[in-house]
Amino acid sequence: MIIVMRPDSTEEDMQRVISRLSDRNYGHHLSRGESRTIIGAIGAPDDEKEVVAGQFSVLPGVERVVPILKPYKLISREYNPSPTAVMIGNAKFGAGHIGVIAGPCAVESQEQIMQTARAVKEAGASALRGGAFKPRTSPYDFQGLGREGLEMLANAREETGLPVVTEVMDVRQVGAVAEVADCLQIGARNMQNYDLLKEAGRCGKPVMLKRGFSSTITEWLKASEYIAAGGTLDIILCERGIRTFETATRFTFDLGGMVAARRETFLPIVADPSHAIGVASLVPQMALAAVAAGADGLAIEVHPRPDQALSDGPQSLTPAAFKDLMKRIRTVAEAVGAEA
Ligand code: PEP
Ligand code: MN
């Protein structure tokens, strides 16, 4: 249920609405726009919605109450019809700006992340990626450098000015990762780790939520609602491929799903062709296709020596290939009325 306050409503009117919501044990989310305030009620049971909407609609200062029929509300277009931008440091994602997050799958050494950061910055990337905590399918594969990796990312930011996007895998890591990261990445394998989603939503940093590779668009959007309910709307969604019967590519890049999600939510959506396709030579074409389809950004794996990478080497672009791709991204962005 969304309560739209009148432009001339007072602070007292708003506080009254909030206290009535808490009387009913509903949570709330405030969105103060330029001309009006919107209050999202969290937790109203479906069978109470109609009666409660009627009761709130007659409170002083309330313009209208919109019952939300979708299973997600705070991130829905019903709540906020126009797509919004999310900032990661000084990089803008959405509202006509295409942000490009580039870097290795994993931070492997100070030299490796520094070298990559310099190269992607020079090519025009707007943020640096690199996992310090890695969710590997096998427990015997490289698991990441952990806290040491976070420090290396901070050093790379210090030198290049690029904001840092890095993955958090566990509720216990949220504090440490949020201290360094400009944006927390929640990976595909953790998309439905609800405690992690809630904690990330409370940490004060933007969150990029990857789509689980066996999740529907609705499940993905409901997962992002958990982050929103935690307290932030600085959420970026990331389509990274889903599992289908097809084995020619690592996953199946679901650009159709991306545009379907775009219709439902105002949150920016980034596309990750690297994990979706899994083959470096095919990544550029799909990155361009994503931009043409209206992606608000890209996440692309780049490694100075893909043949020596400790994870995801086969899908990682060399710095030279990334530089070439950036030029083409700008051309396609311009053609669809966006800026990269
Ligand atoms: C990654 O970004 O390196 C990663 C592990 O991605 P995903 O969660 O999409 O598999
Ligand atoms: Mn990876």
Side-chain angles (χ1 to χ4, degrees):
M1 177 171 90
I2 285 165
I3 300 153
V4 183
M5 301 303 288
R6 293 162 50 98
D8 60 355
S9 65
T10 63
E11 184 68 23
E12 199 188 340
D13 293 336
M14 192 187 73
Q15 290 305 337
R16 188 181 302 106
V17 170
I18 291 172
S19 92
R20 294 284 178 101
L21 288 172
S22 69
D23 288 348
R24 292 181 164 272
N25 288 326
Y26 301 164
H28 71 273
H29 185 280
L30 257 191
S31 166
R32 287 181 200 261
E34 256 170 44
S35 64
R36 64 184 81 224
T37 295
I38 294 174
I39 305 169
I42 303 165
D46 282 348
D47 54 354
E48 286 182 17
K49 273 182 186 161
E50 223 169 292
V51 178
V52 175
Q55 292 171 350
F56 276 81
S57 65
V58 296
L59 290 179
V62 172
E63 183 174 283
R64 71 200 136 90
V65 179
V66 190
I68 297 286
L69 305 171
K70 303 265 184 196
Y72 32 84
K73 14 178 177 280
L74 299 175
I75 58 111
S76 75
R77 284 213 171 202
E78 289 179 20
Y79 188 46
N80 176 5
S82 44
T84 57
V86 168
M87 300 297 296
I88 299 182
N90 53 8
K92 193 169 185 180
F93 294 77
H97 287 262
I98 296 170
V100 180
I101 306 165
C105 180
V107 180
E108 298 170 0
S109 69
Q110 186 66 77
E111 196 212 337
Q112 173 247 20
I113 193 68
M114 199 62 98
Q115 216 181 329
T116 317
R118 287 184 194 128
V120 299
K121 162 93 182 185
E122 199 228 273
S126 42
L128 176 67
R129 62 150 287 146
F133 296 99
K134 293 303 303 173
R136 304 306 303 282
T137 303
S138 164
Y140 306 116
D141 286 340
F142 175 59
Q143 303 287 309
L145 298 179
R147 284 172 190 254
E148 227 185 310
L150 292 177
E151 264 170 53
M152 293 172 185
L153 284 165
N155 294 336
R157 171 181 50 210
E158 174 87 18
E159 190 192 300
T160 60
L162 287 175
V164 162
V165 181
T166 194
E167 179 157 358
V168 59
M169 282 169 49
D170 189 289
V171 181
R172 291 165 295 184
Q173 295 162 354
V174 170
V177 175
E179 228 171 82
V180 170
D182 297 287
C183 173
L184 271 61
Q185 172 175 322
I186 296 187
R189 290 157 190 81
N190 261 319
M191 190 205 84
Q192 287 177 312
N193 181 340
Y194 299 119
D195 285 338
L196 180 60
L197 299 176
K198 285 188 262 183
E199 195 61 24
R202 282 194 283 263
C203 82
K205 291 284 172 77
V207 181
M208 181 167 86
L209 178 66
K210 293 191 131 190
R211 179 178 175 191
F213 44 74
S214 302
S215 297
T216 64
I217 297 297
T218 303
E219 286 163 343
W220 187 25
L221 295 173
K222 283 189 194 173
S224 72
E225 181 82 13
Y226 267 91
I227 303 171
T232 185
L233 285 178
D234 281 337
I235 305 167
I236 296 175
L237 298 168
C238 178
E239 158 56 33
R240 49 79 70 215
I242 53 174
R243 184 151 283 166
T244 67
F245 54 82
E246 185 54 71
T247 55
T249 54
R250 187 177 177 193
F251 292 91
T252 296
F253 198 21
D254 190 13
L255 285 181
M258 184 186 80
V259 296
R262 152 67 53 254
R263 198 180 50 187
E264 298 295 315
T265 181
F266 58 87
L267 297 176
I269 310 179
V270 157
D272 173 350
S274 305
H275 289 89
I277 305 298
V279 182
S281 61
L282 304 181
V283 166
Q285 297 156 67
M286 298 320 295
L288 299 175
V291 172
D296 299 299
L298 293 167
I300 300 195
E301 287 191 340
V302 180
H303 194 288
R305 288 166 300 275
D307 59 332
Q308 290 172 31
L310 297 182
S311 64
D312 286 350
Q315 68 196 31
S316 299
L317 298 189
T318 60
F322 178 69
K323 190 171 176 184
D324 177 60
L325 174 60
M326 273 307 299
K327 283 192 217 129
R328 296 162 72 200
I329 288 171
R330 285 191 208 100
T331 309
V332 175
E334 200 185 323
V336 294
E339 202 183 305

